Amino acid sequence: MTALSSTETVSPSGPVRAVVLDYGNVLYTWEPMAAVAGYVSVEAWEEFVADGDFLAWNERLDLGEPFERVLADCARAHPDRPDWVEILSLYRQRFAASLTGPVPGMAAVLEDLLEADVALYGLTNFDAAPFERARLLVPQLERFAGIVVSGREHLAKPDAAIFTLLLERYGLQAAGTLFVDDSSVNIRAADRLGLRTHHFTGAGRLRAELIAVGLLPTPGQR
């Protein structure tokens, strides 16, 4: 849609038949600095993020590039900052600590959707190897109809190609699929492809949207 509210953008026409959910900060909280907390100061981490291109290196990992290559390129790009290379290496070693806990309320939302026989799918920007461990933190993922992980496909949101891959792989119609993500950039990309969208800001607003589109009943009216 051309205009986004601060919380959601959902097309009004036709039934929703499937829900696609992001992982990080929708199902499980991702806080990168938590991986290096106690080892790296807040100031040093923030400098690395702002000036050392952390997000760009992380995006390459999400695209499935080998970590050794990414680390070597970081060292070549910043020969005067070996500390940034050390921070990136430490982040990768301690990645599990960056997953700081379930997003409040989402386990109950997933259980209710699964109980209602709603087809659930995952679409996440995630390095493939760490995802195999991270998925165990959300046991409901084992009951999803399918999951697309960027690191396996060498494609990442907001590239239209990864949305198209998801739709084609699982035989989904964009107009009948609700995509849930915390990133407004990813929401806009999905919206351009005709998916229904919900800009995630919390389980309560998502539940309200799911009730509004008829996927969940109003509480007390089961």
Side-chain angles (χ1 to χ4, degrees), residues 30-112:
W30 175 59
E31 297 181 84
M33 190 183 173
V36 300
Y39 296 86
V40 175
S41 71
V42 172
E43 294 76 15
W45 172 258
E46 291 180 346
E47 182 191 27
F48 176 50
V49 172
D51 301 326
D53 303 321
F54 167 72
L55 293 178
W57 305 124
N58 189 66
E59 182 179 4
R60 288 177 57 180
L61 295 174
D62 284 347
L63 284 165
E65 289 195 42
F67 176 70
E68 294 74 15
R69 181 192 303 163
V70 173
L71 191 66
D73 286 351
C74 179
R76 280 191 289 270
H78 304 288
D80 58 331
R81 295 302 301 264
D83 55 319
W84 287 349
V85 179
E86 292 173 4
I87 291 173
L88 183 58
S89 180
L90 180 64
Y91 168 77
R92 171 70 173 201
Q93 292 169 24
R94 293 181 44 78
F95 174 80
S98 73
L99 301 174
T100 57
V103 172
M106 282 304 295
V109 170
L110 292 181
E111 289 293 344
D112 289 347

Side-chain angles (χ1 to χ4, degrees), residues 4 31 35 37 45 50 52 56 71 78 83 85 95 99 102 112 134 141 172 177 182 193 200 202 211 216 219 221:
L4 293 175
E31 297 181 84
W45 172 258
L71 191 66
H78 304 288
D83 55 319
V85 179
F95 174 80
L99 301 174
D112 289 347
L141 289 177
L172 301 175
T177 302
D182 65 304
L193 293 171
F200 184 82
I211 292 170
L216 291 180
Q221 294 185 4

